[in-house]
Amino acid sequence: MPIDATQPYDADNIFAKILRGEIPCKQVYRDEWSLAFHDINPQAPTHILVIPTGAYVSWDDFSARGHVARDAGLVAPGYRLLANIGQHGHQEVPHLHVHLFGGRQMGQMLPR
Ligand code: 5GP
């Protein structure tokens, strides 16, 4: 179910538990500012979630309260970044995150 992205941060959300090590993940990268890990239900050969270690619900929340995050490097064949926000964006986990899809041709941006 999509969440209401205007609600305060819920420290019991699934990604908060992953950050605290209470739930395991297949980690790709971690530093002081960010964690990248494989999505449990991949939608492409490569489907990685990139999240800040800070407690932000959405990009608006991050913009209002956040600090500058470090950039990740780009790769040659290309990839897709996608962020779901709130009800219409169908965001299910109330911790700011970006989906990184790769490993196949992604086609058009949205199904018609
Ligand atoms: P959203 O709809 O919020 O943009 O995406 C949430 C994503 O989190 C979904 O793609 C879902 O598969 C993934 N996800 C939910 N629970 C877990 C989990 O426990 N572990 C991992 N690795 N991914 C999860």
Side-chain angles (χ1 to χ4, degrees):
M1 282 294 290
I3 56 104
D4 179 352
T6 65
Q7 291 299 303
Y9 186 80
D10 170 11
D12 284 331
N13 80 76
I14 199 90
F15 293 171
K17 290 178 179 173
I18 287 173
L19 279 168
R20 291 195 295 266
E22 295 166 12
I23 291 177
C25 73
K26 209 168 140 197
Q27 182 174 313
V28 175
Y29 177 82
R30 183 168 191 153
D31 66 16
E32 185 182 352
W33 309 105
S34 63
L35 170 67
F37 56 99
H38 289 273
D39 196 290
I40 204 166
N41 182 26
Q43 305 296 309
T46 301
H47 183 172
I48 292 168
L49 295 163
V50 184
I51 72 174
T53 54
Y56 309 108
V57 175
S58 69
W59 291 101
D60 295 306
D61 189 20
F62 180 76
S63 300
R65 302 189 300 112
H67 48 73
V68 177
R70 293 181 184 171
D71 291 334
L74 304 181
V75 287
Y79 59 92
R80 176 163 295 163
L81 287 178
L82 185 148
N84 298 320
I85 314 292
Q87 293 278 327
H88 283 191
H90 214 277
Q91 179 183 7
E92 295 193 328
V93 178
H95 183 113
L96 172 64
H97 55 283
V98 174
H99 297 254
L100 192 163
F101 300 103
R104 68 168 165 84
Q105 173 54 248
M106 293 299 147
Q108 291 189 339
M109 191 158 63
L110 292 173
R112 294 185 183 272

